[in-house]
Amino acid sequence: MTVTSHGPLPATTYDVTVVGAGVVGSAVARELARHPDLRVALVEAQDDVGQGTSKANTAILHTGFDAVPGSLEARLVREGARLLAAYAAESGIPVEPVGALLVAWDEEQHAALPGLLEKAEHNQYRDARLLGPAELYAREPALGPGALGALHVPGESIICPWTTTLAYATQAVRAGVDLHLNCRVGAARHEQGVHRLTTSRGTLRTRLLVNAAGLHADTLDRALGHEDFTVTPRRGQLLVFDRPARSLVRHILLPVPTALGKGVLVAPTVYGNVLLGPTAEDLDDKRDTGSTAEGLALLREKGGRILPALLDEEVTAVYAGLRAATEQDDYRITAHPEEGYVTVGGIRSTGLTASLAIASYVTGLLPGLGPTREPEPVRMPNLGEAFPRPYQRPELIAADPEYGTLVCHCERVSRGEIRDALAATIPPAGLDGLRRRTRARAGRCQGFFCGAAVRALWEEARS
Protein backbone atom coordinates (compact mmCIF):
# COMPACT_ATOMS: atom_id res chain seq x y z
CA MET A 1 0.00 0.00 0.00
CA THR A 2 1.48 3.32 -1.08
CA VAL A 3 0.25 6.75 0.02
CA THR A 4 2.70 9.62 -0.43
CA SER A 5 2.33 13.32 0.35
CA HIS A 6 5.83 14.71 -0.22
CA GLY A 7 9.08 13.98 -2.00
CA PRO A 8 9.72 12.99 -5.60
CA LEU A 9 7.36 10.68 -7.46
CA PRO A 10 8.44 7.14 -8.41
CA ALA A 11 10.66 6.97 -11.50
CA THR A 12 8.31 4.58 -13.25
CA THR A 13 5.80 4.67 -16.05
CA TYR A 14 2.31 3.92 -14.81
CA ASP A 15 -0.18 2.04 -16.92
CA VAL A 16 -3.03 4.37 -15.90
CA THR A 17 -3.09 7.60 -13.92
CA VAL A 18 -6.23 9.27 -12.59
CA VAL A 19 -5.93 13.00 -11.90
CA GLY A 20 -8.23 14.12 -9.10
CA ALA A 21 -9.10 12.19 -5.93
CA GLY A 22 -12.64 13.42 -5.47
CA VAL A 23 -15.54 11.00 -5.34
CA VAL A 24 -15.42 10.34 -9.10
CA GLY A 25 -11.64 10.05 -9.42
CA SER A 26 -11.47 7.77 -6.39
CA ALA A 27 -14.27 5.60 -7.82
CA VAL A 28 -12.38 5.32 -11.13
CA ALA A 29 -9.18 4.35 -9.27
CA ARG A 30 -11.11 1.70 -7.34
CA GLU A 31 -12.51 0.31 -10.60
CA LEU A 32 -9.04 0.23 -12.17
CA ALA A 33 -7.76 -1.65 -9.11
CA ARG A 34 -9.90 -4.57 -10.28
CA HIS A 35 -7.24 -5.11 -12.98
CA PRO A 36 -4.31 -6.70 -11.10
CA ASP A 37 -1.86 -6.44 -13.99
CA LEU A 38 -2.04 -2.64 -14.10
CA ARG A 39 0.15 -0.19 -12.23
CA VAL A 40 -2.23 2.63 -11.34
CA ALA A 41 -1.68 6.07 -9.79
CA LEU A 42 -4.26 8.41 -8.27
CA VAL A 43 -2.91 11.96 -7.94
CA GLU A 44 -4.47 14.80 -5.99
CA ALA A 45 -3.45 18.46 -5.80
CA GLN A 46 -4.55 18.84 -2.18
CA ASP A 47 -3.44 17.01 0.95
CA ASP A 48 -6.40 14.62 1.26
CA VAL A 49 -8.96 12.79 -0.83
CA GLY A 50 -12.35 14.42 -1.30
CA GLN A 51 -11.06 17.91 -0.59
CA GLY A 52 -12.82 19.72 -3.43
CA THR A 53 -16.45 19.62 -4.56
CA SER A 54 -16.91 16.18 -3.00
CA LYS A 55 -16.64 17.36 0.61
CA ALA A 56 -19.29 20.07 0.14
CA ASN A 57 -21.91 17.95 -1.60
CA THR A 58 -25.54 18.17 -0.47
CA ALA A 59 -25.25 14.46 0.43
CA ILE A 60 -28.28 13.15 -1.46
CA LEU A 61 -28.40 9.73 -3.08
CA HIS A 62 -30.55 10.59 -6.10
CA THR A 63 -32.93 8.41 -8.08
CA GLY A 64 -32.32 10.42 -11.26
CA PHE A 65 -36.05 11.06 -11.60
CA ASP A 66 -35.54 14.65 -12.83
CA ALA A 67 -32.50 14.21 -15.09
CA VAL A 68 -32.78 15.07 -18.79
CA PRO A 69 -34.34 11.92 -20.32
CA GLY A 70 -31.93 10.10 -22.62
CA SER A 71 -28.88 11.96 -21.34
CA LEU A 72 -25.70 10.25 -20.20
CA GLU A 73 -26.26 11.74 -16.75
CA ALA A 74 -29.73 10.18 -16.52
CA ARG A 75 -28.38 6.76 -17.41
CA LEU A 76 -25.39 6.88 -15.06
CA VAL A 77 -27.33 8.33 -12.12
CA ARG A 78 -29.94 5.59 -12.50
CA GLU A 79 -27.28 2.87 -12.63
CA GLY A 80 -25.11 4.53 -10.00
CA ALA A 81 -27.92 4.80 -7.46
CA ARG A 82 -28.39 1.05 -7.51
CA LEU A 83 -24.66 0.34 -7.36
CA LEU A 84 -23.95 2.82 -4.57
CA ALA A 85 -26.86 1.62 -2.42
CA ALA A 86 -25.45 -1.91 -2.56
CA TYR A 87 -21.88 -0.72 -2.00
CA ALA A 88 -22.92 1.40 0.97
CA ALA A 89 -24.63 -1.57 2.62
CA GLU A 90 -21.51 -3.69 2.09
CA SER A 91 -19.05 -1.00 3.22
CA GLY A 92 -20.88 0.53 6.18
CA ILE A 93 -21.59 3.89 4.53
CA PRO A 94 -24.68 5.32 6.25
CA VAL A 95 -27.73 5.76 4.01
CA GLU A 96 -31.25 6.73 5.08
CA PRO A 97 -34.13 6.37 2.55
CA VAL A 98 -36.15 9.37 3.74
CA GLY A 99 -37.76 10.19 0.39
CA ALA A 100 -38.20 13.62 -1.20
CA LEU A 101 -41.06 16.05 -1.74
CA LEU A 102 -40.96 18.61 -4.57
CA VAL A 103 -43.17 21.30 -3.12
CA ALA A 104 -45.18 23.69 -5.31
CA TRP A 105 -45.71 27.13 -3.78
CA ASP A 106 -47.58 28.85 -6.62
CA GLU A 107 -49.81 27.96 -9.56
CA GLU A 108 -46.97 27.90 -12.07
CA GLN A 109 -44.99 25.44 -9.98
CA HIS A 110 -48.09 23.36 -9.30
CA ALA A 111 -48.79 23.16 -13.03
CA ALA A 112 -45.24 21.87 -13.57
CA LEU A 113 -45.63 18.86 -11.25
CA PRO A 114 -47.39 16.54 -13.77
CA GLY A 115 -44.58 17.19 -16.24
CA LEU A 116 -42.01 16.26 -13.58
CA LEU A 117 -43.95 13.05 -12.90
CA GLU A 118 -43.88 12.28 -16.62
CA LYS A 119 -40.14 13.01 -16.72
CA ALA A 120 -39.60 10.60 -13.82
CA GLU A 121 -41.42 7.87 -15.76
CA HIS A 122 -39.29 8.58 -18.85
CA ASN A 123 -36.27 8.08 -16.58
CA GLN A 124 -37.65 4.67 -15.57
CA TYR A 125 -38.57 5.84 -12.08
CA ARG A 126 -42.19 4.80 -11.53
CA ASP A 127 -42.71 5.19 -7.79
CA ALA A 128 -43.29 8.97 -7.82
CA ARG A 129 -46.82 10.30 -7.31
CA LEU A 130 -48.64 13.58 -6.90
CA LEU A 131 -49.86 14.72 -3.47
CA GLY A 132 -52.54 17.22 -2.60
CA PRO A 133 -52.16 19.75 0.22
CA ALA A 134 -53.81 17.57 2.86
CA GLU A 135 -51.46 14.61 2.40
CA LEU A 136 -48.48 16.93 1.99
CA TYR A 137 -49.09 18.63 5.35
CA ALA A 138 -49.81 15.26 6.99
CA ARG A 139 -46.34 14.18 5.90
CA GLU A 140 -44.64 17.48 6.80
CA PRO A 141 -46.61 19.26 9.56
CA ALA A 142 -43.98 22.00 10.03
CA LEU A 143 -44.06 23.02 6.37
CA GLY A 144 -44.76 26.70 5.79
CA PRO A 145 -48.30 27.79 4.87
CA GLY A 146 -49.57 28.08 1.32
CA ALA A 147 -48.13 24.97 -0.38
CA LEU A 148 -50.44 23.77 -3.19
CA GLY A 149 -49.18 20.22 -3.52
CA ALA A 150 -46.07 18.15 -4.14
CA LEU A 151 -44.46 15.35 -6.09
CA HIS A 152 -43.46 12.54 -3.73
CA VAL A 153 -40.28 10.67 -4.70
CA PRO A 154 -39.89 7.93 -2.08
CA GLY A 155 -36.60 6.58 -3.45
CA GLU A 156 -34.47 9.64 -2.67
CA SER A 157 -32.04 9.03 0.22
CA ILE A 158 -29.42 10.82 2.28
CA ILE A 159 -25.86 9.50 2.48
CA CYS A 160 -22.45 10.33 3.96
CA PRO A 161 -20.35 11.86 1.15
CA TRP A 162 -17.14 11.94 3.22
CA THR A 163 -17.14 8.19 3.92
CA THR A 164 -18.03 7.34 0.31
CA THR A 165 -14.97 9.01 -1.19
CA LEU A 166 -12.71 7.63 1.53
CA ALA A 167 -14.07 4.10 1.05
CA TYR A 168 -13.33 4.16 -2.69
CA ALA A 169 -9.81 5.51 -2.20
CA THR A 170 -9.06 3.12 0.67
CA GLN A 171 -10.16 0.12 -1.35
CA ALA A 172 -8.08 1.30 -4.32
CA VAL A 173 -4.93 1.77 -2.23
CA ARG A 174 -5.31 -1.59 -0.49
CA ALA A 175 -5.61 -3.21 -3.92
CA GLY A 176 -2.32 -1.68 -5.07
CA VAL A 177 -3.10 1.81 -6.42
CA ASP A 178 -0.47 4.46 -5.58
CA LEU A 179 -2.07 7.57 -4.07
CA HIS A 180 0.05 10.73 -4.43
CA LEU A 181 -1.23 13.74 -2.47
CA ASN A 182 0.00 17.35 -2.65
CA CYS A 183 0.66 16.56 -6.31
CA ARG A 184 -0.71 19.40 -8.43
CA VAL A 185 -0.55 18.82 -12.19
CA GLY A 186 0.66 21.77 -14.26
CA ALA A 187 1.91 21.18 -17.79
CA ALA A 188 1.02 18.00 -19.67
CA ARG A 189 2.05 16.56 -23.01
CA HIS A 190 1.63 13.32 -24.91
CA GLU A 191 4.42 11.95 -27.07
CA GLN A 192 5.55 8.51 -28.22
CA GLY A 193 2.63 6.83 -26.48
CA VAL A 194 3.35 8.28 -23.05
CA HIS A 195 1.77 11.16 -21.13
CA ARG A 196 4.24 13.31 -19.23
CA LEU A 197 2.66 15.31 -16.45
CA THR A 198 4.66 18.07 -14.82
CA THR A 199 3.55 18.13 -11.19
CA SER A 200 4.50 19.98 -8.03
CA ARG A 201 6.43 16.86 -7.03
CA GLY A 202 8.22 16.15 -10.29
CA THR A 203 7.41 14.43 -13.57
CA LEU A 204 4.88 11.62 -13.72
CA ARG A 205 4.80 9.30 -16.75
CA THR A 206 1.77 7.23 -17.66
CA ARG A 207 0.54 5.27 -20.65
CA LEU A 208 -3.18 6.03 -20.12
CA LEU A 209 -4.67 9.10 -18.46
CA VAL A 210 -8.05 9.84 -16.88
CA ASN A 211 -8.81 13.49 -16.22
CA ALA A 212 -11.15 13.66 -13.21
CA ALA A 213 -9.85 17.03 -12.04
CA GLY A 214 -13.29 18.48 -11.30
CA LEU A 215 -13.26 22.26 -11.39
CA HIS A 216 -9.90 22.15 -13.18
CA ALA A 217 -10.77 19.44 -15.72
CA ASP A 218 -11.02 21.98 -18.55
CA THR A 219 -7.55 23.35 -17.72
CA LEU A 220 -5.94 19.91 -18.02
CA ASP A 221 -7.99 19.22 -21.14
CA ARG A 222 -6.59 22.35 -22.80
CA ALA A 223 -3.05 21.45 -21.75
CA LEU A 224 -3.47 18.32 -23.85
CA GLY A 225 -4.79 20.26 -26.84
CA HIS A 226 -8.56 19.90 -26.39
CA GLU A 227 -11.20 22.58 -25.91
CA ASP A 228 -14.34 20.51 -25.47
CA PHE A 229 -15.85 22.50 -22.59
CA THR A 230 -15.32 25.29 -20.08
CA VAL A 231 -15.97 24.87 -16.37
CA THR A 232 -17.76 27.75 -14.67
CA PRO A 233 -17.58 27.34 -10.90
CA ARG A 234 -21.08 27.54 -9.45
CA ARG A 235 -20.94 28.34 -5.75
CA GLY A 236 -23.45 26.81 -3.39
CA GLN A 237 -23.61 28.23 0.13
CA LEU A 238 -25.31 26.19 2.85
CA LEU A 239 -26.38 26.53 6.47
CA VAL A 240 -26.12 23.59 8.87
CA PHE A 241 -28.63 23.59 11.73
CA ASP A 242 -28.06 21.84 15.04
CA ARG A 243 -29.53 18.43 15.78
CA PRO A 244 -32.66 19.63 17.64
CA ALA A 245 -33.88 20.86 14.23
CA ARG A 246 -33.96 17.30 12.91
CA SER A 247 -37.45 16.66 14.31
CA LEU A 248 -38.87 19.43 12.10
CA VAL A 249 -38.36 17.63 8.80
CA ARG A 250 -39.12 14.10 7.66
CA HIS A 251 -38.23 14.24 3.96
CA ILE A 252 -35.84 16.03 1.63
CA LEU A 253 -37.83 19.15 0.73
CA LEU A 254 -37.06 20.23 -2.82
CA PRO A 255 -38.32 23.19 -4.84
CA VAL A 256 -39.50 22.80 -8.39
CA PRO A 257 -36.16 22.91 -10.29
CA THR A 258 -34.92 25.71 -12.53
CA ALA A 259 -32.21 26.01 -15.20
CA LEU A 260 -29.64 26.82 -12.48
CA GLY A 261 -30.23 23.60 -10.59
CA LYS A 262 -32.48 22.06 -8.02
CA GLY A 263 -32.70 25.28 -6.03
CA VAL A 264 -32.73 25.79 -2.27
CA LEU A 265 -33.68 22.67 -0.36
CA VAL A 266 -34.14 21.64 3.24
CA ALA A 267 -32.75 18.21 3.98
CA PRO A 268 -31.90 16.09 6.98
CA THR A 269 -28.40 14.63 7.11
CA VAL A 270 -27.19 11.22 8.24
CA TYR A 271 -25.32 13.04 11.04
CA GLY A 272 -28.60 14.27 12.58
CA ASN A 273 -28.38 17.88 11.36
CA VAL A 274 -30.52 19.78 8.87
CA LEU A 275 -29.13 21.46 5.74
CA LEU A 276 -30.53 24.59 4.13
CA GLY A 277 -29.19 25.48 0.69
CA PRO A 278 -27.50 25.70 -1.68
CA THR A 279 -27.35 29.00 -3.49
CA ALA A 280 -26.35 28.94 -7.18
CA GLU A 281 -23.84 31.68 -8.03
CA ASP A 282 -21.71 31.51 -11.18
CA LEU A 283 -18.20 32.81 -10.44
CA ASP A 284 -14.85 33.29 -12.15
CA ASP A 285 -12.63 32.17 -9.27
CA LYS A 286 -12.37 28.37 -8.95
CA ARG A 287 -11.17 28.68 -5.36
CA ASP A 288 -13.80 31.07 -4.00
CA THR A 289 -15.55 28.96 -1.38
CA GLY A 290 -16.29 31.90 0.90
CA SER A 291 -19.72 32.62 2.29
CA THR A 292 -21.42 35.99 1.85
CA ALA A 293 -23.94 37.96 3.89
CA GLU A 294 -26.16 38.20 0.81
CA GLY A 295 -26.08 34.46 0.18
CA LEU A 296 -26.88 33.57 3.78
CA ALA A 297 -29.68 36.14 3.90
CA LEU A 298 -31.18 34.57 0.76
CA LEU A 299 -31.05 31.13 2.37
CA ARG A 300 -32.78 32.35 5.50
CA GLU A 301 -35.48 34.01 3.40
CA LYS A 302 -36.10 30.81 1.42
CA GLY A 303 -35.88 28.64 4.53
CA GLY A 304 -38.38 30.83 6.35
CA ARG A 305 -40.99 30.07 3.73
CA ILE A 306 -40.24 26.35 3.45
CA LEU A 307 -39.93 25.56 7.16
CA PRO A 308 -40.54 28.66 9.32
CA ALA A 309 -39.63 27.02 12.65
CA LEU A 310 -36.19 26.16 11.26
CA LEU A 311 -35.06 29.77 11.65
CA ASP A 312 -35.55 29.50 15.43
CA GLU A 313 -32.93 26.72 15.61
CA GLU A 314 -29.20 27.16 16.15
CA VAL A 315 -26.84 27.26 13.15
CA THR A 316 -23.73 25.20 13.89
CA ALA A 317 -21.85 25.72 10.63
CA VAL A 318 -21.81 27.59 7.33
CA TYR A 319 -19.99 26.27 4.29
CA ALA A 320 -19.83 26.64 0.53
CA GLY A 321 -18.93 24.31 -2.31
CA LEU A 322 -18.22 24.86 -6.00
CA ARG A 323 -19.95 22.76 -8.63
CA ALA A 324 -18.35 22.18 -12.04
CA ALA A 325 -20.99 23.67 -14.32
CA THR A 326 -20.37 23.69 -18.10
CA GLU A 327 -22.15 24.97 -21.20
CA GLN A 328 -24.11 21.71 -21.51
CA ASP A 329 -26.66 20.13 -19.15
CA ASP A 330 -24.96 16.76 -19.23
CA TYR A 331 -21.74 15.07 -18.21
CA ARG A 332 -18.80 15.75 -20.54
CA ILE A 333 -17.10 12.34 -20.69
CA THR A 334 -15.00 12.09 -23.85
CA ALA A 335 -12.51 9.44 -24.96
CA HIS A 336 -9.49 10.18 -27.16
CA PRO A 337 -8.38 6.61 -28.01
CA GLU A 338 -5.41 7.69 -30.13
CA GLU A 339 -3.97 9.40 -27.05
CA GLY A 340 -5.05 6.92 -24.40
CA TYR A 341 -6.92 9.74 -22.67
CA VAL A 342 -10.41 10.16 -21.20
CA THR A 343 -11.87 13.42 -19.90
CA VAL A 344 -14.47 13.23 -17.13
CA GLY A 345 -15.87 16.76 -17.01
CA GLY A 346 -19.00 18.62 -16.00
CA ILE A 347 -19.81 16.25 -13.14
CA ARG A 348 -22.11 18.21 -10.89
CA SER A 349 -23.85 17.33 -7.62
CA THR A 350 -25.24 14.08 -9.03
CA GLY A 351 -21.68 12.80 -9.38
CA LEU A 352 -21.80 11.30 -5.89
CA THR A 353 -24.77 9.12 -6.83
CA ALA A 354 -23.40 8.25 -10.27
CA SER A 355 -19.79 7.71 -9.16
CA LEU A 356 -19.63 3.91 -9.47
CA ALA A 357 -21.47 3.93 -12.79
CA ILE A 358 -19.20 6.70 -14.08
CA ALA A 359 -16.19 4.62 -13.05
CA SER A 360 -17.45 1.59 -14.95
CA TYR A 361 -18.27 3.69 -18.02
CA VAL A 362 -14.89 5.44 -18.02
CA THR A 363 -12.81 2.26 -17.64
CA GLY A 364 -14.79 0.79 -20.52
CA LEU A 365 -13.38 3.57 -22.70
CA LEU A 366 -9.77 2.62 -21.90
CA PRO A 367 -8.08 -0.01 -24.09
CA GLY A 368 -6.27 -3.16 -23.03
CA LEU A 369 -6.85 -3.19 -19.28
CA GLY A 370 -6.56 -6.95 -18.96
CA PRO A 371 -8.18 -9.47 -16.60
CA THR A 372 -10.18 -8.48 -13.55
CA ARG A 373 -10.57 -9.54 -9.93
CA GLU A 374 -12.77 -8.25 -7.15
CA PRO A 375 -10.95 -6.12 -4.57
CA GLU A 376 -11.16 -7.02 -0.91
CA PRO A 377 -14.24 -5.40 0.67
CA VAL A 378 -13.77 -2.51 3.08
CA ARG A 379 -15.77 -1.73 6.19
CA MET A 380 -15.85 1.95 7.10
CA PRO A 381 -16.51 3.50 10.51
CA ASN A 382 -20.15 4.49 10.90
CA LEU A 383 -20.78 8.24 11.12
CA GLY A 384 -24.58 8.04 10.88
CA GLU A 385 -27.06 8.62 13.68
CA ALA A 386 -29.51 5.98 12.45
CA PHE A 387 -27.02 3.20 13.14
CA PRO A 388 -25.14 2.24 16.34
CA ARG A 389 -22.11 4.41 17.02
CA PRO A 390 -19.19 3.00 19.07
CA TYR A 391 -20.25 4.73 22.30
CA GLN A 392 -23.60 2.88 22.01
CA ARG A 393 -22.05 -0.59 21.69
CA PRO A 394 -21.31 -2.17 25.08
CA GLU A 395 -19.60 -5.20 23.57
CA LEU A 396 -17.17 -2.98 21.65
CA ILE A 397 -16.39 -0.90 24.74
CA ALA A 398 -15.89 -4.05 26.83
CA ALA A 399 -13.29 -5.28 24.31
CA ASP A 400 -11.62 -1.85 24.02
CA PRO A 401 -12.50 0.84 26.61
CA GLU A 402 -11.13 3.55 24.30
CA TYR A 403 -14.44 3.38 22.42
CA GLY A 404 -16.22 4.42 25.61
CA THR A 405 -14.01 7.43 26.34
CA LEU A 406 -15.58 10.44 24.67
CA VAL A 407 -13.36 13.25 23.41
CA CYS A 408 -15.91 15.23 21.37
CA HIS A 409 -19.06 15.35 23.48
CA CYS A 410 -21.21 17.27 20.99
CA GLU A 411 -20.86 14.53 18.37
CA ARG A 412 -20.11 11.62 20.76
CA VAL A 413 -16.73 10.78 19.24
CA SER A 414 -14.46 8.47 21.23
CA ARG A 415 -10.70 8.19 21.60
CA GLY A 416 -10.91 4.83 19.86
CA GLU A 417 -12.46 6.31 16.73
CA ILE A 418 -9.86 9.07 16.58
CA ARG A 419 -7.06 6.56 17.13
CA ASP A 420 -8.38 4.35 14.31
CA ALA A 421 -8.70 7.26 11.89
CA LEU A 422 -5.16 8.42 12.58
CA ALA A 423 -3.82 4.90 11.89
CA ALA A 424 -5.98 4.19 8.82
CA THR A 425 -4.81 3.27 5.32
CA ILE A 426 -5.31 6.91 4.28
CA PRO A 427 -4.82 8.93 7.47
CA PRO A 428 -6.05 12.53 7.67
CA ALA A 429 -3.53 15.22 6.79
CA GLY A 430 -5.06 17.73 9.19
CA LEU A 431 -7.79 18.33 11.73
CA ASP A 432 -10.38 18.99 9.03
CA GLY A 433 -9.64 15.60 7.51
CA LEU A 434 -9.99 14.05 10.95
CA ARG A 435 -13.39 15.74 11.31
CA ARG A 436 -14.59 14.20 8.05
CA ARG A 437 -13.50 10.76 9.26
CA THR A 438 -14.93 10.93 12.79
CA ARG A 439 -17.19 14.03 13.19
CA ALA A 440 -14.84 15.31 15.93
CA ARG A 441 -15.15 19.13 16.18
CA ALA A 442 -18.22 19.15 13.89
CA GLY A 443 -20.88 19.76 16.54
CA ARG A 444 -22.46 22.63 18.39
CA CYS A 445 -19.26 23.99 19.96
CA GLN A 446 -17.25 23.60 16.70
CA GLY A 447 -14.23 22.38 18.67
CA PHE A 448 -14.28 24.99 21.45
CA PHE A 449 -14.52 22.30 24.13
CA CYS A 450 -12.73 19.34 22.51
CA GLY A 451 -10.31 21.14 20.17
CA ALA A 452 -7.27 20.97 22.47
CA ALA A 453 -7.79 17.27 23.24
CA VAL A 454 -8.31 16.39 19.56
CA ARG A 455 -5.19 18.32 18.58
CA ALA A 456 -3.18 16.57 21.29
CA LEU A 457 -4.19 13.17 19.92
CA TRP A 458 -3.37 14.36 16.43
CA GLU A 459 0.09 15.57 17.41
CA GLU A 460 0.78 12.42 19.42
CA ALA A 461 0.04 10.29 16.36
CA ARG A 462 2.39 12.36 14.21
CA SER A 463 5.31 12.31 16.65
Side-chain angles (χ1 to χ4, degrees), residues 406-425:
L406 294 184
V407 177
C408 173
H409 289 263
C410 293
E411 297 297 289
R412 305 291 195 269
V413 183
S414 67
R415 284 179 60 96
E417 292 168 272
I418 293 173
R419 175 202 63 201
D420 293 349
L422 292 171
T425 301

Side-chain angles (χ1 to χ4, degrees), residues 52-75:
T53 299
S54 300
K55 75 177 181 183
N57 193 283
T58 47
I60 297 174
L61 180 55
H62 296 284
T63 59
F65 77 95
D66 59 346
V68 177
S71 65
L72 181 61
E73 180 179 20
R75 170 187 151 192

Side-chain angles (χ1 to χ4, degrees), residues 90-103:
E90 172 189 284
S91 305
I93 299 167
V95 173
E96 290 184 54
V98 295
L101 294 168
L102 275 81
V103 181

Side-chain angles (χ1 to χ4, degrees), residues 190-212:
H190 179 256
E191 55 188 25
Q192 298 179 339
V194 175
H195 295 276
R196 286 174 171 78
L197 307 180
T198 302
T199 82
S200 53
R201 294 177 51 195
T203 300
L204 185 146
R205 290 176 292 278
T206 185
R207 184 169 58 87
L208 302 174
L209 179 63
V210 176
N211 172 5

Side-chain angles (χ1 to χ4, degrees), residues 172-186:
V173 169
R174 289 181 182 175
V177 172
D178 290 351
L179 171 61
H180 300 303
L181 302 167
N182 294 315
C183 189
R184 184 177 300 279
V185 175

Side-chain angles (χ1 to χ4, degrees), residues 71-379:
S71 65
L72 181 61
E73 180 179 20
R75 170 187 151 192
L76 296 182
V77 170
R78 185 168 60 247
E79 294 174 4
R82 175 180 53 82
L83 292 171
L84 183 50
Y87 183 81
E90 172 189 284
S91 305
I93 299 167
V95 173
E96 290 184 54
V98 295
L101 294 168
L102 275 81
V103 181
W105 296 98
D106 58 38
E107 291 294 346
E108 183 179 357
Q109 293 175 5
H110 192 241
L113 293 181
L116 288 167
L117 176 61
E118 185 178 346
K119 178 184 277 190
E121 292 170 348
H122 279 306
N123 283 319
Q124 301 178 32
Y125 185 79
R126 297 182 175 87
D127 292 334
R129 66 188 186 93
L130 298 172
L131 304 183
E135 187 172 357
L136 171 59
Y137 280 97
R139 287 180 169 275
E140 288 291 348
L143 196 68
L148 302 180
L151 179 68
H152 182 214
V153 188
E156 298 277 296
S157 302
I158 53 177
I159 187 171
C160 177
W162 304 334
T163 309
T164 304
T165 303
L166 186 61
Y168 294 161
T170 296
Q171 202 168 18
V173 169
R174 289 181 182 175
V177 172
D178 290 351
L179 171 61
H180 300 303
L181 302 167
N182 294 315
C183 189
R184 184 177 300 279
V185 175
R189 67 183 189 277
H190 179 256
E191 55 188 25
Q192 298 179 339
V194 175
H195 295 276
R196 286 174 171 78
L197 307 180
T198 302
T199 82
S200 53
R201 294 177 51 195
T203 300
L204 185 146
R205 290 176 292 278
T206 185
R207 184 169 58 87
L208 302 174
L209 179 63
V210 176
N211 172 5
L215 291 164
H216 303 279
D218 58 340
T219 302
L220 180 55
D221 209 42
R222 283 176 171 77
L224 290 165
H226 305 285
E227 294 195 22
D228 292 340
F229 62 96
T230 297
V231 171
T232 299
R234 182 167 291 161
R235 182 170 61 190
Q237 302 181 51
L238 296 104
L239 293 169
V240 183
F241 288 85
D242 202 0
R243 281 188 283 173
R246 179 64 178 83
S247 62
L248 295 174
V249 60
R250 301 173 182 176
H251 303 73
I252 303 162
L253 301 179
L254 300 170
V256 176
T258 69
L260 284 177
K262 298 182 186 300
V264 174
L265 58 84
V266 174
T269 75
V270 294
Y271 320 116
N273 306 97
V274 174
L275 287 181
L276 171 61
T279 58
E281 310 157 59
D282 286 344
L283 307 176
D284 296 321
D285 186 351
K286 293 182 178 181
R287 304 188 194 281
D288 187 356
T289 56
S291 299
T292 66
E294 295 80 8
L296 300 183
L298 171 67
L299 293 181
R300 293 187 67 86
E301 177 189 338
K302 298 280 189 182
R305 181 175 191 189
I306 300 167
L307 208 67
L310 185 62
L311 300 189
D312 295 329
E313 300 295 334
E314 296 289 336
V315 173
T316 60
V318 174
Y319 70 93
L322 298 175
R323 310 192 286 281
T326 67
E327 311 93 322
Q328 181 175 308
D329 288 335
D330 201 358
Y331 296 161
R332 307 301 294 268
I333 301 177
T334 306
H336 301 277
E338 69 286 357
E339 299 173 32
Y341 169 58
V342 177
T343 306
V344 188
I347 311 298
R348 297 178 301 279
S349 59
T350 56
L352 170 61
T353 300
S355 52
L356 290 174
I358 292 172
S360 178
Y361 181 77
V362 167
T363 54
L365 298 174
L366 295 169
L369 299 184
T372 62
R373 67 175 179 197
E374 290 306 311
E376 288 294 320
V378 294
R379 192 71 187 174

